[in-house]
Amino acid sequence: MKVAPSILAADFAILAADVERVASVADLLHVDCMDGHYVPNLTIGPPVVKSLRKHTDLFLDCHLMVDNPGVLLAAFADAGADGCTIHIELGDPRLLFDEIRALGMRVGLSFEPETPFQAVEPYLADIDLLLVMSVHTGFGGQPFIPEVLEKVRAARAAIDERALPVEIEIDGGIKVDNAHLAVDAGVDILVSGTGIFGADDPAAAARAIKASGAGR
Ligand code: DX5
Ligand code: ZN
């Protein structure tokens, strides 16, 4: 089981120090990029990824909640992003996938809680990462939506049946006490923001979340 702390819940003014607190436990760092259009919130982009890159060797897993990811992909790659995940709600993602790959990054596809698994299923062979949203994009600290677990199970079955090299990541409302639900449904990577950076001991919280998958 992999854990990906979401830096959305970190203190942006001391970002490197907060990342350092979880670095020994984290498998990836989840970077939520929001443009104020796709979602009603504005966060960070390539300049912050570039700064982070100087402080960590962790995989920088960039979740693009932006209306026009195409104009930003080269900047993310130049900044040192390792993967970019885009949303199916924007329309046919194939050209963007080609661009992400051509820039040397891993390809991710995400879908909102109300978007059915059937919307992403046709693209499973083209991606490295399927990001299942377990809250509506836009803000950290929202409650986990358990209904999305059905989509995780469907994705797990489809990926296993075709033996595809796709990891399933879940994002939103994951905490120490519910991570096992996602693990049981078949996820490979647990994203957690407030569940980690909101804890008194972020490394211990990340370790406990990761341990939900012990033995699986
Ligand atoms: C929401 C973001 C999430 C968010 C998760 O749009 O994609 O990554 O940081 O935060 P928590 O874990 O607090 O729900
Ligand atoms: Zn995210």
Side-chain angles (χ1 to χ4, degrees):
M1 187 56 46
K2 295 182 183 175
V3 66
S6 168
I7 62 166
L8 185 59
D11 184 338
F12 284 154
I14 51 162
L15 193 48
D18 267 5
V19 167
E20 184 55 34
R21 296 179 79 185
V22 297
S24 64
V25 190
D27 298 285
L28 313 84
L29 268 191
H30 187 77
V31 182
D32 285 311
C33 307
M34 308 185 190
D35 67 349
H37 293 275
Y38 179 76
V39 286
N41 195 7
L42 184 64
T43 59
I44 54 173
V48 175
V49 171
K50 187 173 179 185
S51 296
L52 266 179
R53 186 74 293 164
K54 292 185 229 156
H55 293 275
T56 182
D57 292 328
L58 284 166
F59 187 102
L60 297 177
D61 170 37
C62 298
H63 178 191
L64 308 192
M65 290 159 276
V66 303
D67 261 358
N68 193 357
V71 299
L72 294 169
L73 294 175
F76 274 104
D78 287 347
D82 295 292
C84 278
T85 295
I86 57 174
H87 269 266
I88 190 66
E89 288 80 11
L90 297 173
D92 190 331
R94 284 205 172 94
L95 288 176
L96 292 170
F97 289 167
D98 292 345
E99 201 171 329
I100 294 170
R101 247 186 235 300
L103 288 163
M105 298 183 289
R106 306 246 300 166
V107 173
L109 181 62
S110 186
F111 56 137
E112 298 282 347
E114 69 277 7
T115 302
F117 171 64
Q118 287 70 26
V120 295
E121 192 170 20
Y123 306 103
L124 290 179
D126 306 320
I127 62 178
D128 302 301
L129 180 80
L130 182 68
L131 174 54
V132 180
M133 286 310 302
S134 43
V135 299
H136 293 99
T137 52
F139 299 91
Q142 303 179 74
F144 179 72
I145 300 173
E147 287 77 15
V148 307
L149 292 172
E150 202 47 57
K151 297 194 291 183
V152 172
R153 284 188 276 271
R156 179 82 274 155
I159 288 165
D160 288 352
E161 190 185 326
R162 296 164 63 188
L164 294 170
V166 179
E167 289 187 296
I168 304 176
E169 181 176 52
I170 195 161
D171 182 11
I174 296 291
K175 304 265 181 348
V176 174
D177 60 3
N178 64 5
H180 67 282
L181 299 174
V183 171
D184 287 346
V187 309
D188 302 294
I189 305 170
L190 296 156
V191 173
S192 179
T194 50
I196 291 177
F197 289 107
D200 290 338
D201 183 343
R207 210 172 290 117
I209 288 170
K210 194 172 156 117
S212 311
R216 291 185 179 88

